[in-house]
Amino acid sequence: MPQPLVKVVDLKKYFPVKGVFRVKGWVRAVDGVSFEIMKGQTLGLVGESGCGKTTVGKLVLRLLEPTSGEVYYNGENIYKLKGSKLKEFRRKAQMVFQDPYSSLNPRMTVFDIIYEPVKVYKLKVSDPEKFIVDLLYKVGLNESHLYRYPHEFSGGQRQRIAIARILALNPEFIVLDEPTSALDVSVQAQILNLLKDLQAKYNLTYLFISHDLGVVRYMSDWIAVMYLGQIVEFGPAEEVFEKPLHPYTKALFSAIPIPDPELTRKREKLKAPGEPPSPINPPPGCRFHPRCPFRMDKCSREEPEMIMVEDKHWVKCHLYTKK
């Protein structure tokens, strides 16, 4: 069996809620997340706002230190890396941020923005200007943009510049944190197609974080559905979309708009009433049970295990556990 490029094992991150003199509680932003990503593939991480998706992305890149758990990159625990090994990991594993307007330094030209990481990592480039122009062409820009400032570009162009800056380091793994959510729909399609093309050309591996289910379906080989700090369903993208198992996943997919009114009327709709509970004080048992239309008595007492219902399709729900 080939080794996964990224392997996450029981990852947890609790943030303290500080009172005047002491810690009053803990926000369980990520609470026992595990998954694997094979080289050259895309894992889509979906869920409501505040469920912990971005925190997972930052933990996987070691931008945050975990409360507990491990992340393995090419078989090495990234939380034990030091010195040159840690620096090499940071070169190989990069992140595209959600807001293209604040991810670029407004006082630097495009040339300086893209060349900065090259200088930090002391990469050998014989002709910096030609090197950066080549990168600009790869992301759909050209040499006329080289000495302009970020304020002279649209949101989509800024995101292209951010992608070019990452490509300068020749990465292997990229966390995409809602990279198109701040862009117009037509521009979103261009950026998504660019990311797909770059993945095919350079065999890149993506962790694609989004709440836009249509975008995730287009981009992903695998889907992980998060709810209140935990993954509740995991499987091949098409199978999860065609045959969702967890009630929360079904409720999420019920909210996807369909352009055909006739199909919309015929579609089975499942609603999850109310708001998600507080991650400071999550409910006992299954975390979705206060909102679940299929809840049983044991849902409020026992936390369900993650079980494989079909080939490589996992779900965390008592509806599928053996009696």
mmCIF file of all heavy atoms in Angstrom, residues 2 4-5 17 19 36 55 58 60 73 75 118 127 132 134 143 146 183 192 196 233-234 242 262 273 286 300 323:
data_model
loop_
_atom_site.group_PDB
_atom_site.id
_atom_site.type_symbol
_atom_site.label_atom_id
_atom_site.label_comp_id
_atom_site.label_asym_id
_atom_site.label_seq_id
_atom_site.Cartn_x
_atom_site.Cartn_y
_atom_site.Cartn_z
ATOM 1 N N PRO A 2 0.575 2.227 -0.886
ATOM 2 C CA PRO A 2 1.367 3.465 -0.870
ATOM 3 C C PRO A 2 1.132 4.252 0.417
ATOM 4 O O PRO A 2 0.039 4.226 0.994
ATOM 5 C CB PRO A 2 0.839 4.230 -2.085
ATOM 6 C CG PRO A 2 -0.519 3.667 -2.360
ATOM 7 C CD PRO A 2 -0.450 2.232 -1.940
ATOM 8 N N PRO A 4 0.443 7.515 2.648
ATOM 9 C CA PRO A 4 -0.185 8.834 2.433
ATOM 10 C C PRO A 4 0.829 9.953 2.612
ATOM 11 O O PRO A 4 1.761 9.833 3.413
ATOM 12 C CB PRO A 4 -1.267 8.893 3.509
ATOM 13 C CG PRO A 4 -0.826 7.929 4.563
ATOM 14 C CD PRO A 4 -0.086 6.838 3.844
ATOM 15 N N LEU A 5 0.662 11.022 1.852
ATOM 16 C CA LEU A 5 1.545 12.178 2.018
ATOM 17 C C LEU A 5 1.278 12.852 3.353
ATOM 18 O O LEU A 5 2.199 13.239 4.075
ATOM 19 C CB LEU A 5 1.339 13.176 0.876
ATOM 20 C CG LEU A 5 2.239 14.407 0.917
ATOM 21 C CD1 LEU A 5 3.687 14.030 0.635
ATOM 22 C CD2 LEU A 5 1.763 15.469 -0.075
ATOM 23 N N VAL A 17 -10.739 29.891 27.375
ATOM 24 C CA VAL A 17 -11.648 31.034 27.564
ATOM 25 C C VAL A 17 -11.241 31.678 28.873
ATOM 26 O O VAL A 17 -11.449 31.116 29.953
ATOM 27 C CB VAL A 17 -13.122 30.570 27.617
ATOM 28 C CG1 VAL A 17 -14.039 31.766 27.823
ATOM 29 C CG2 VAL A 17 -13.487 29.819 26.353
ATOM 30 N N GLY A 19 -11.072 34.164 32.053
ATOM 31 C CA GLY A 19 -11.820 35.051 32.924
ATOM 32 C C GLY A 19 -10.892 36.120 33.481
ATOM 33 O O GLY A 19 -9.799 36.348 32.967
ATOM 34 N N GLU A 36 -6.459 10.914 6.097
ATOM 35 C CA GLU A 36 -5.257 10.750 5.292
ATOM 36 C C GLU A 36 -5.482 11.397 3.929
ATOM 37 O O GLU A 36 -6.608 11.433 3.432
ATOM 38 C CB GLU A 36 -4.919 9.266 5.085
ATOM 39 C CG GLU A 36 -4.561 8.525 6.361
ATOM 40 C CD GLU A 36 -4.263 7.054 6.107
ATOM 41 O OE1 GLU A 36 -4.477 6.601 4.945
ATOM 42 O OE2 GLU A 36 -3.819 6.362 7.039
ATOM 43 N N THR A 55 -9.014 25.841 11.517
ATOM 44 C CA THR A 55 -8.092 25.427 12.580
ATOM 45 C C THR A 55 -7.380 24.134 12.191
ATOM 46 O O THR A 55 -6.172 23.991 12.419
ATOM 47 C CB THR A 55 -8.844 25.244 13.915
ATOM 48 O OG1 THR A 55 -9.541 26.462 14.223
ATOM 49 C CG2 THR A 55 -7.882 24.925 15.043
ATOM 50 N N LYS A 58 -4.619 24.976 9.729
ATOM 51 C CA LYS A 58 -3.447 25.585 10.369
ATOM 52 C C LYS A 58 -2.654 24.572 11.184
ATOM 53 O O LYS A 58 -1.417 24.637 11.252
ATOM 54 C CB LYS A 58 -3.897 26.752 11.256
ATOM 55 C CG LYS A 58 -4.397 27.955 10.465
ATOM 56 C CD LYS A 58 -4.831 29.093 11.373
ATOM 57 C CE LYS A 58 -5.264 30.305 10.561
ATOM 58 N NZ LYS A 58 -5.711 31.427 11.436
ATOM 59 N N VAL A 60 -2.407 21.367 10.478
ATOM 60 C CA VAL A 60 -1.736 20.475 9.535
ATOM 61 C C VAL A 60 -0.453 21.109 8.995
ATOM 62 O O VAL A 60 0.496 20.411 8.647
ATOM 63 C CB VAL A 60 -2.705 20.106 8.382
ATOM 64 C CG1 VAL A 60 -1.985 19.434 7.236
ATOM 65 C CG2 VAL A 60 -3.804 19.190 8.900
ATOM 66 N N TYR A 73 3.849 13.867 7.863
ATOM 67 C CA TYR A 73 4.077 14.293 6.483
ATOM 68 C C TYR A 73 5.189 13.420 5.914
ATOM 69 O O TYR A 73 6.318 13.454 6.416
ATOM 70 C CB TYR A 73 4.471 15.775 6.440
ATOM 71 C CG TYR A 73 4.613 16.318 5.040
ATOM 72 C CD1 TYR A 73 3.501 16.795 4.356
ATOM 73 C CD2 TYR A 73 5.848 16.353 4.396
ATOM 74 C CE1 TYR A 73 3.613 17.288 3.067
ATOM 75 C CE2 TYR A 73 5.966 16.842 3.111
ATOM 76 C CZ TYR A 73 4.848 17.318 2.451
ATOM 77 O OH TYR A 73 4.965 17.798 1.164
ATOM 78 N N GLY A 75 5.505 10.389 6.423
ATOM 79 C CA GLY A 75 5.893 9.466 7.482
ATOM 80 C C GLY A 75 6.580 10.094 8.675
ATOM 81 O O GLY A 75 6.859 9.406 9.662
ATOM 82 N N VAL A 118 11.630 33.285 -2.039
ATOM 83 C CA VAL A 118 12.836 32.740 -2.688
ATOM 84 C C VAL A 118 14.078 33.168 -1.909
ATOM 85 O O VAL A 118 15.001 32.378 -1.686
ATOM 86 C CB VAL A 118 12.919 33.209 -4.158
ATOM 87 C CG1 VAL A 118 14.223 32.729 -4.803
ATOM 88 C CG2 VAL A 118 11.717 32.700 -4.953
ATOM 89 N N ASP A 127 18.254 34.180 -12.909
ATOM 90 C CA ASP A 127 17.641 35.395 -13.451
ATOM 91 C C ASP A 127 16.287 35.604 -12.760
ATOM 92 O O ASP A 127 15.261 35.102 -13.234
ATOM 93 C CB ASP A 127 17.459 35.253 -14.968
ATOM 94 C CG ASP A 127 16.964 36.541 -15.622
ATOM 95 O OD1 ASP A 127 16.493 37.436 -14.883
ATOM 96 O OD2 ASP A 127 17.032 36.647 -16.855
ATOM 97 N N ILE A 132 10.318 35.027 -12.278
ATOM 98 C CA ILE A 132 9.016 35.495 -11.779
ATOM 99 C C ILE A 132 8.042 35.726 -12.931
ATOM 100 O O ILE A 132 6.845 35.439 -12.799
ATOM 101 C CB ILE A 132 9.205 36.754 -10.917
ATOM 102 C CG1 ILE A 132 9.937 36.353 -9.631
ATOM 103 C CG2 ILE A 132 7.876 37.409 -10.571
ATOM 104 C CD1 ILE A 132 10.438 37.482 -8.802
ATOM 105 N N ASP A 134 7.953 33.958 -15.632
ATOM 106 C CA ASP A 134 7.486 32.600 -15.965
ATOM 107 C C ASP A 134 6.377 32.160 -15.011
ATOM 108 O O ASP A 134 5.385 31.544 -15.433
ATOM 109 C CB ASP A 134 8.654 31.611 -15.894
ATOM 110 C CG ASP A 134 9.631 31.782 -17.045
ATOM 111 O OD1 ASP A 134 9.258 32.428 -18.042
ATOM 112 O OD2 ASP A 134 10.774 31.281 -16.939
ATOM 113 N N GLU A 143 4.192 39.890 -17.883
ATOM 114 C CA GLU A 143 5.272 40.759 -17.403
ATOM 115 C C GLU A 143 4.829 42.194 -17.146
ATOM 116 O O GLU A 143 5.477 42.922 -16.397
ATOM 117 C CB GLU A 143 6.446 40.759 -18.392
ATOM 118 C CG GLU A 143 6.145 41.345 -19.762
ATOM 119 C CD GLU A 143 5.668 40.275 -20.742
ATOM 120 O OE1 GLU A 143 5.274 39.186 -20.301
ATOM 121 O OE2 GLU A 143 5.681 40.556 -21.963
ATOM 122 N N LEU A 146 4.464 43.040 -13.429
ATOM 123 C CA LEU A 146 5.607 42.744 -12.571
ATOM 124 C C LEU A 146 5.871 43.803 -11.503
ATOM 125 O O LEU A 146 6.178 43.479 -10.355
ATOM 126 C CB LEU A 146 6.851 42.547 -13.445
ATOM 127 C CG LEU A 146 8.021 41.786 -12.842
ATOM 128 C CD1 LEU A 146 7.611 40.406 -12.366
ATOM 129 C CD2 LEU A 146 9.145 41.679 -13.872
ATOM 130 N N LEU A 183 -14.462 36.019 -4.004
ATOM 131 C CA LEU A 183 -14.411 36.379 -5.422
ATOM 132 C C LEU A 183 -15.776 36.240 -6.082
ATOM 133 O O LEU A 183 -16.635 35.497 -5.621
ATOM 134 C CB LEU A 183 -13.403 35.477 -6.144
ATOM 135 C CG LEU A 183 -12.004 35.379 -5.534
ATOM 136 C CD1 LEU A 183 -11.159 34.395 -6.323
ATOM 137 C CD2 LEU A 183 -11.334 36.741 -5.476
ATOM 138 N N LEU A 192 -10.496 28.137 -9.783
ATOM 139 C CA LEU A 192 -10.627 26.698 -9.569
ATOM 140 C C LEU A 192 -10.008 25.906 -10.721
ATOM 141 O O LEU A 192 -9.312 24.909 -10.507
ATOM 142 C CB LEU A 192 -12.098 26.316 -9.401
ATOM 143 C CG LEU A 192 -12.789 26.855 -8.144
ATOM 144 C CD1 LEU A 192 -14.276 26.543 -8.181
ATOM 145 C CD2 LEU A 192 -12.168 26.295 -6.879
ATOM 146 N N LYS A 196 -6.813 23.318 -10.587
ATOM 147 C CA LYS A 196 -6.877 21.967 -11.151
ATOM 148 C C LYS A 196 -5.737 21.744 -12.149
ATOM 149 O O LYS A 196 -5.091 20.686 -12.152
ATOM 150 C CB LYS A 196 -8.222 21.758 -11.843
ATOM 151 C CG LYS A 196 -9.348 21.377 -10.906
ATOM 152 C CD LYS A 196 -9.975 20.081 -11.377
ATOM 153 C CE LYS A 196 -10.986 19.538 -10.428
ATOM 154 N NZ LYS A 196 -11.350 18.156 -10.694
ATOM 155 N N GLU A 233 -18.438 12.305 8.695
ATOM 156 C CA GLU A 233 -18.535 11.449 7.511
ATOM 157 C C GLU A 233 -17.314 11.656 6.635
ATOM 158 O O GLU A 233 -16.810 12.770 6.501
ATOM 159 C CB GLU A 233 -19.817 11.733 6.720
ATOM 160 C CG GLU A 233 -20.056 10.756 5.591
ATOM 161 C CD GLU A 233 -21.488 10.771 5.047
ATOM 162 O OE1 GLU A 233 -22.352 11.444 5.646
ATOM 163 O OE2 GLU A 233 -21.730 10.105 4.023
ATOM 164 N N PHE A 234 -16.837 10.556 6.043
ATOM 165 C CA PHE A 234 -15.636 10.602 5.215
ATOM 166 C C PHE A 234 -15.764 9.562 4.120
ATOM 167 O O PHE A 234 -16.165 8.421 4.384
ATOM 168 C CB PHE A 234 -14.392 10.315 6.071
ATOM 169 C CG PHE A 234 -13.094 10.356 5.313
ATOM 170 C CD1 PHE A 234 -12.373 11.526 5.214
ATOM 171 C CD2 PHE A 234 -12.595 9.227 4.687
ATOM 172 C CE1 PHE A 234 -11.178 11.581 4.505
ATOM 173 C CE2 PHE A 234 -11.409 9.260 3.982
ATOM 174 C CZ PHE A 234 -10.689 10.448 3.894
ATOM 175 N N GLU A 242 -23.593 11.470 -3.761
ATOM 176 C CA GLU A 242 -24.706 10.694 -4.306
ATOM 177 C C GLU A 242 -25.458 9.920 -3.224
ATOM 178 O O GLU A 242 -26.659 9.699 -3.334
ATOM 179 C CB GLU A 242 -24.192 9.719 -5.370
ATOM 180 C CG GLU A 242 -23.653 10.383 -6.627
ATOM 181 C CD GLU A 242 -24.709 11.187 -7.366
ATOM 182 O OE1 GLU A 242 -25.896 10.798 -7.310
ATOM 183 O OE2 GLU A 242 -24.352 12.209 -7.985
ATOM 184 N N GLU A 262 -38.608 21.986 -10.899
ATOM 185 C CA GLU A 262 -39.318 20.724 -10.778
ATOM 186 C C GLU A 262 -38.541 19.744 -9.902
ATOM 187 O O GLU A 262 -39.098 19.080 -9.029
ATOM 188 C CB GLU A 262 -39.536 20.122 -12.175
ATOM 189 C CG GLU A 262 -40.507 18.955 -12.209
ATOM 190 C CD GLU A 262 -41.929 19.363 -11.816
ATOM 191 O OE1 GLU A 262 -42.331 20.509 -12.082
ATOM 192 O OE2 GLU A 262 -42.614 18.512 -11.210
ATOM 193 N N PRO A 273 -32.926 21.762 12.507
ATOM 194 C CA PRO A 273 -33.425 22.963 13.179
ATOM 195 C C PRO A 273 -32.470 23.461 14.257
ATOM 196 O O PRO A 273 -31.673 22.693 14.815
ATOM 197 C CB PRO A 273 -34.751 22.499 13.792
ATOM 198 C CG PRO A 273 -34.597 21.019 13.949
ATOM 199 C CD PRO A 273 -33.729 20.573 12.808
ATOM 200 N N CYS A 286 -23.720 11.916 20.890
ATOM 201 C CA CYS A 286 -23.533 12.453 19.537
ATOM 202 C C CYS A 286 -23.737 13.960 19.563
ATOM 203 O O CYS A 286 -24.748 14.451 20.073
ATOM 204 C CB CYS A 286 -24.524 11.805 18.573
ATOM 205 S SG CYS A 286 -24.491 12.537 16.924
ATOM 206 N N SER A 300 -28.056 10.609 22.995
ATOM 207 C CA SER A 300 -27.733 11.621 23.994
ATOM 208 C C SER A 300 -26.818 11.084 25.098
ATOM 209 O O SER A 300 -26.353 11.847 25.940
ATOM 210 C CB SER A 300 -29.009 12.180 24.628
ATOM 211 O OG SER A 300 -29.745 11.144 25.244
ATOM 212 N N LYS A 323 -26.655 -3.322 16.392
ATOM 213 C CA LYS A 323 -27.508 -3.343 17.584
ATOM 214 C C LYS A 323 -26.849 -4.144 18.706
ATOM 215 O O LYS A 323 -26.186 -5.133 18.449
ATOM 216 C CB LYS A 323 -28.869 -3.958 17.245
ATOM 217 C CG LYS A 323 -29.592 -3.242 16.118
ATOM 218 C CD LYS A 323 -29.967 -1.828 16.468
ATOM 219 C CE LYS A 323 -30.741 -1.173 15.344
ATOM 220 N NZ LYS A 323 -31.048 0.227 15.591
#
